[in-house]
Each structure stands twice: as C-alpha cells, then as structure tokens.
Short mmCIF file of all heavy atoms in Angstrom, two decimals:
data_model
loop_
_atom_site.label_atom_id
_atom_site.label_comp_id
_atom_site.label_asym_id
_atom_site.label_seq_id
_atom_site.Cartn_x
_atom_site.Cartn_y
_atom_site.Cartn_z
N PRO A 1 16.21 4.11 4.45
CA PRO A 1 15.42 3.14 5.22
C PRO A 1 14.11 3.69 5.76
O PRO A 1 13.22 2.93 6.12
CB PRO A 1 16.36 2.76 6.37
CG PRO A 1 17.25 3.95 6.53
CD PRO A 1 17.44 4.50 5.17
N ASN A 2 13.98 5.03 5.80
CA ASN A 2 12.80 5.65 6.40
C ASN A 2 11.89 6.39 5.40
O ASN A 2 10.74 6.66 5.72
CB ASN A 2 13.21 6.63 7.49
CG ASN A 2 13.96 5.96 8.63
OD1 ASN A 2 13.72 4.79 8.92
ND2 ASN A 2 14.88 6.67 9.24
N LYS A 3 12.42 6.74 4.23
CA LYS A 3 11.63 7.45 3.23
C LYS A 3 11.54 6.57 1.99
O LYS A 3 12.51 6.36 1.28
CB LYS A 3 12.27 8.80 2.90
CG LYS A 3 12.29 9.75 4.09
CD LYS A 3 12.83 11.13 3.70
CE LYS A 3 11.80 11.93 2.94
NZ LYS A 3 12.26 13.33 2.71
N GLN A 4 10.33 6.07 1.71
CA GLN A 4 10.18 4.97 0.78
C GLN A 4 10.53 5.27 -0.68
O GLN A 4 10.85 4.36 -1.44
CB GLN A 4 8.76 4.41 0.86
CG GLN A 4 7.67 5.41 0.51
CD GLN A 4 6.29 4.79 0.58
OE1 GLN A 4 6.13 3.60 0.34
NE2 GLN A 4 5.29 5.57 0.95
N TYR A 5 10.52 6.53 -1.08
CA TYR A 5 10.80 6.84 -2.49
C TYR A 5 12.22 7.37 -2.71
O TYR A 5 12.56 7.75 -3.82
CB TYR A 5 9.78 7.84 -3.02
CG TYR A 5 8.37 7.31 -3.00
CD1 TYR A 5 7.44 7.76 -2.06
CD2 TYR A 5 7.97 6.33 -3.92
CE1 TYR A 5 6.14 7.25 -2.04
CE2 TYR A 5 6.67 5.82 -3.90
CZ TYR A 5 5.76 6.28 -2.96
OH TYR A 5 4.50 5.77 -2.94
N TYR A 6 13.02 7.41 -1.67
CA TYR A 6 14.35 8.03 -1.80
C TYR A 6 15.45 6.98 -1.99
O TYR A 6 15.55 6.01 -1.25
CB TYR A 6 14.63 8.90 -0.58
CG TYR A 6 14.03 10.28 -0.72
CD1 TYR A 6 12.65 10.46 -0.80
CD2 TYR A 6 14.84 11.41 -0.81
CE1 TYR A 6 12.09 11.71 -0.96
CE2 TYR A 6 14.29 12.68 -0.97
CZ TYR A 6 12.91 12.83 -1.04
OH TYR A 6 12.37 14.07 -1.22
N LEU A 7 16.29 7.25 -2.99
CA LEU A 7 17.34 6.33 -3.41
C LEU A 7 18.62 7.11 -3.64
O LEU A 7 18.60 8.21 -4.20
CB LEU A 7 16.89 5.65 -4.72
CG LEU A 7 17.89 4.79 -5.48
CD1 LEU A 7 18.15 3.48 -4.73
CD2 LEU A 7 17.36 4.48 -6.88
N ALA A 8 19.74 6.57 -3.18
CA ALA A 8 21.05 7.20 -3.40
C ALA A 8 21.83 6.37 -4.42
O ALA A 8 21.73 5.15 -4.44
CB ALA A 8 21.83 7.28 -2.09
N SER A 9 22.61 7.06 -5.26
CA SER A 9 23.46 6.38 -6.23
C SER A 9 24.83 7.06 -6.26
O SER A 9 24.96 8.23 -5.90
CB SER A 9 22.83 6.41 -7.62
OG SER A 9 22.72 7.74 -8.10
N CYS A 10 25.84 6.33 -6.70
CA CYS A 10 27.17 6.92 -6.82
C CYS A 10 27.88 6.29 -8.00
O CYS A 10 27.49 5.21 -8.47
CB CYS A 10 27.99 6.73 -5.55
SG CYS A 10 28.30 5.00 -5.12
N GLY A 11 28.91 6.96 -8.52
CA GLY A 11 29.55 6.43 -9.71
C GLY A 11 30.90 7.00 -10.04
O GLY A 11 31.51 7.73 -9.24
N ASP A 12 31.34 6.69 -11.25
CA ASP A 12 32.67 7.07 -11.70
C ASP A 12 32.79 8.54 -12.08
O ASP A 12 33.88 9.00 -12.45
CB ASP A 12 33.08 6.20 -12.90
CG ASP A 12 33.44 4.78 -12.49
OD1 ASP A 12 33.32 4.47 -11.29
OD2 ASP A 12 33.82 3.98 -13.37
N ASP A 13 31.69 9.28 -12.01
CA ASP A 13 31.77 10.73 -12.26
C ASP A 13 32.09 11.50 -10.97
O ASP A 13 31.99 12.72 -10.93
CB ASP A 13 30.46 11.24 -12.87
CG ASP A 13 29.23 10.98 -12.00
OD1 ASP A 13 29.40 10.39 -10.91
OD2 ASP A 13 28.11 11.34 -12.41
N CYS A 14 32.47 10.75 -9.91
CA CYS A 14 32.88 11.32 -8.61
C CYS A 14 31.70 11.88 -7.81
O CYS A 14 31.93 12.56 -6.80
CB CYS A 14 33.94 12.42 -8.76
SG CYS A 14 35.28 12.01 -9.87
N LYS A 15 30.48 11.60 -8.22
CA LYS A 15 29.32 12.20 -7.57
C LYS A 15 28.47 11.17 -6.82
O LYS A 15 28.44 9.99 -7.17
CB LYS A 15 28.44 12.92 -8.60
CG LYS A 15 29.12 14.09 -9.28
CD LYS A 15 28.23 14.71 -10.34
CE LYS A 15 28.95 15.85 -11.05
NZ LYS A 15 28.13 16.42 -12.14
N VAL A 16 27.77 11.67 -5.80
CA VAL A 16 26.74 10.91 -5.11
C VAL A 16 25.44 11.67 -5.34
O VAL A 16 25.38 12.88 -5.11
CB VAL A 16 27.02 10.80 -3.59
CG1 VAL A 16 25.92 9.99 -2.91
CG2 VAL A 16 28.38 10.18 -3.34
N LYS A 17 24.41 10.97 -5.82
CA LYS A 17 23.15 11.64 -6.13
C LYS A 17 22.00 11.00 -5.35
O LYS A 17 22.00 9.79 -5.11
CB LYS A 17 22.86 11.59 -7.63
CG LYS A 17 23.88 12.37 -8.46
CD LYS A 17 23.49 12.41 -9.92
CE LYS A 17 24.49 13.21 -10.74
NZ LYS A 17 24.09 13.31 -12.16
N PHE A 18 21.05 11.83 -4.98
CA PHE A 18 19.87 11.38 -4.23
C PHE A 18 18.64 11.63 -5.10
O PHE A 18 18.44 12.73 -5.60
CB PHE A 18 19.78 12.14 -2.91
CG PHE A 18 20.97 11.92 -2.02
CD1 PHE A 18 22.09 12.75 -2.13
CD2 PHE A 18 21.01 10.88 -1.11
CE1 PHE A 18 23.21 12.54 -1.33
CE2 PHE A 18 22.12 10.66 -0.31
CZ PHE A 18 23.22 11.50 -0.42
N TRP A 19 17.84 10.58 -5.25
CA TRP A 19 16.70 10.61 -6.17
C TRP A 19 15.38 10.38 -5.44
O TRP A 19 15.33 9.63 -4.46
CB TRP A 19 16.84 9.52 -7.23
CG TRP A 19 18.12 9.56 -7.98
CD1 TRP A 19 19.29 8.90 -7.66
CD2 TRP A 19 18.40 10.30 -9.18
NE1 TRP A 19 20.26 9.18 -8.59
CE2 TRP A 19 19.76 10.03 -9.53
CE3 TRP A 19 17.64 11.15 -9.98
CZ2 TRP A 19 20.35 10.58 -10.66
CZ3 TRP A 19 18.24 11.70 -11.11
CH2 TRP A 19 19.58 11.43 -11.43
N ASP A 20 14.33 11.01 -5.93
CA ASP A 20 12.96 10.67 -5.55
C ASP A 20 12.41 9.88 -6.73
O ASP A 20 12.27 10.42 -7.84
CB ASP A 20 12.14 11.95 -5.33
CG ASP A 20 10.72 11.67 -4.87
OD1 ASP A 20 10.20 10.57 -5.16
OD2 ASP A 20 10.11 12.55 -4.23
N THR A 21 12.14 8.60 -6.54
CA THR A 21 11.79 7.73 -7.66
C THR A 21 10.43 8.05 -8.28
O THR A 21 10.07 7.50 -9.32
CB THR A 21 11.82 6.24 -7.25
OG1 THR A 21 10.91 6.03 -6.15
CG2 THR A 21 13.22 5.84 -6.81
N ARG A 22 9.67 8.98 -7.66
CA ARG A 22 8.40 9.41 -8.26
C ARG A 22 8.63 10.44 -9.35
O ARG A 22 7.77 10.68 -10.19
CB ARG A 22 7.48 9.98 -7.18
CG ARG A 22 7.03 8.96 -6.15
CD ARG A 22 6.41 9.63 -4.94
NE ARG A 22 7.38 10.46 -4.23
CZ ARG A 22 7.12 11.11 -3.10
NH1 ARG A 22 5.90 11.01 -2.55
NH2 ARG A 22 8.03 11.84 -2.51
N ASN A 23 9.80 11.10 -9.31
CA ASN A 23 10.13 12.11 -10.32
C ASN A 23 11.64 12.03 -10.57
O ASN A 23 12.43 12.62 -9.83
CB ASN A 23 9.73 13.50 -9.83
CG ASN A 23 10.08 14.58 -10.83
OD1 ASN A 23 10.42 14.30 -11.97
ND2 ASN A 23 10.01 15.83 -10.40
N VAL A 24 12.02 11.32 -11.60
CA VAL A 24 13.44 11.00 -11.80
C VAL A 24 14.12 11.91 -12.83
O VAL A 24 15.21 11.61 -13.30
CB VAL A 24 13.60 9.52 -12.20
CG1 VAL A 24 13.16 8.61 -11.07
CG2 VAL A 24 12.84 9.21 -13.50
N THR A 25 13.50 13.03 -13.16
CA THR A 25 14.10 13.92 -14.17
C THR A 25 15.36 14.61 -13.63
O THR A 25 16.30 14.85 -14.37
CB THR A 25 13.10 15.00 -14.63
OG1 THR A 25 12.55 15.65 -13.47
CG2 THR A 25 11.97 14.37 -15.43
N GLU A 26 15.37 14.93 -12.34
CA GLU A 26 16.52 15.59 -11.72
C GLU A 26 16.77 14.99 -10.34
O GLU A 26 15.81 14.65 -9.63
CB GLU A 26 16.26 17.09 -11.56
CG GLU A 26 16.26 17.89 -12.84
CD GLU A 26 17.64 18.05 -13.45
OE1 GLU A 26 18.64 18.02 -12.68
OE2 GLU A 26 17.73 18.19 -14.68
N PRO A 27 18.04 14.90 -9.91
CA PRO A 27 18.29 14.44 -8.54
C PRO A 27 17.82 15.47 -7.52
O PRO A 27 17.80 16.68 -7.81
CB PRO A 27 19.82 14.27 -8.49
CG PRO A 27 20.35 15.13 -9.59
CD PRO A 27 19.29 15.16 -10.65
N VAL A 28 17.42 15.00 -6.36
CA VAL A 28 16.98 15.91 -5.30
C VAL A 28 18.18 16.67 -4.74
O VAL A 28 18.11 17.86 -4.44
CB VAL A 28 16.29 15.11 -4.16
CG1 VAL A 28 15.81 16.03 -3.05
CG2 VAL A 28 15.13 14.31 -4.71
N LYS A 29 19.31 15.96 -4.60
CA LYS A 29 20.56 16.55 -4.10
C LYS A 29 21.73 15.85 -4.77
O LYS A 29 21.62 14.69 -5.18
CB LYS A 29 20.69 16.37 -2.58
CG LYS A 29 19.78 17.24 -1.74
CD LYS A 29 20.44 18.59 -1.47
CE LYS A 29 19.55 19.47 -0.61
NZ LYS A 29 20.16 20.76 -0.32
N THR A 30 22.86 16.56 -4.85
CA THR A 30 24.08 15.97 -5.39
C THR A 30 25.25 16.33 -4.48
O THR A 30 25.40 17.48 -4.07
CB THR A 30 24.37 16.48 -6.81
OG1 THR A 30 23.26 16.17 -7.66
CG2 THR A 30 25.62 15.83 -7.38
N LEU A 31 26.06 15.32 -4.16
CA LEU A 31 27.28 15.54 -3.39
C LEU A 31 28.48 15.42 -4.32
O LEU A 31 28.57 14.46 -5.10
CB LEU A 31 27.42 14.46 -2.30
CG LEU A 31 26.75 14.70 -0.95
CD1 LEU A 31 26.96 13.47 -0.08
CD2 LEU A 31 27.31 15.92 -0.26
N GLU A 32 29.39 16.37 -4.24
CA GLU A 32 30.57 16.35 -5.11
C GLU A 32 31.84 16.53 -4.29
O GLU A 32 32.68 17.36 -4.59
CB GLU A 32 30.46 17.44 -6.18
CG GLU A 32 29.24 17.28 -7.07
CD GLU A 32 29.18 18.29 -8.19
OE1 GLU A 32 30.21 18.50 -8.88
OE2 GLU A 32 28.13 18.91 -8.38
N GLU A 33 31.98 15.73 -3.24
CA GLU A 33 33.11 15.88 -2.32
C GLU A 33 34.30 14.99 -2.67
O GLU A 33 35.41 15.23 -2.22
CB GLU A 33 32.65 15.57 -0.89
CG GLU A 33 31.54 16.48 -0.38
CD GLU A 33 31.97 17.94 -0.29
OE1 GLU A 33 33.17 18.20 -0.08
OE2 GLU A 33 31.10 18.82 -0.45
N HIS A 34 34.06 13.94 -3.46
CA HIS A 34 35.15 13.02 -3.80
C HIS A 34 35.86 13.49 -5.08
O HIS A 34 35.26 14.15 -5.93
CB HIS A 34 34.62 11.60 -3.98
CG HIS A 34 34.29 10.92 -2.69
ND1 HIS A 34 35.25 10.49 -1.80
CD2 HIS A 34 33.08 10.59 -2.13
CE1 HIS A 34 34.66 9.91 -0.76
NE2 HIS A 34 33.35 9.97 -0.93
N SER A 35 37.12 13.10 -5.22
CA SER A 35 37.91 13.51 -6.38
C SER A 35 38.17 12.35 -7.35
O SER A 35 38.89 12.51 -8.33
CB SER A 35 39.25 14.10 -5.93
OG SER A 35 39.97 13.17 -5.15
#
C-alpha cells in the first residue's frame, strides 16, 4: 500500500514472493515458511 512498484504473490510451490514490477527478472525476496 505504500511502495507503488512492490507486489506480493503466492502459490502452489509453497512460496511467497515479493516483486519490483520495474524489474521482474528476479523476486526481491522469497518466503519459504509454508509446507
């Protein structure tokens, strides 16, 4: 809500990823806490 280019996604690979939509080649951060 405060950083206009930042987007979070999650999926069936058990991961949560954080993206900068200006450079989408790699996620900025990845969370792998879920099983």
Side-chain angles (χ1 to χ4, degrees):
N2 299 329
K3 296 184 76 173
Q4 61 179 329
Y5 297 106
Y6 276 64
L7 171 71
S9 64
C10 62
D12 286 2
D13 58 0
C14 314
K15 296 177 183 177
V16 180
K17 295 185 179 183
F18 299 89
W19 306 91
D20 183 335
T21 58
R22 294 166 297 184
N23 179 12
V24 296
T25 51
E26 289 288 333
V28 181
K29 287 273 181 180
T30 302
L31 273 177
E32 300 184 48
E33 300 297 331
H34 285 289
S35 57

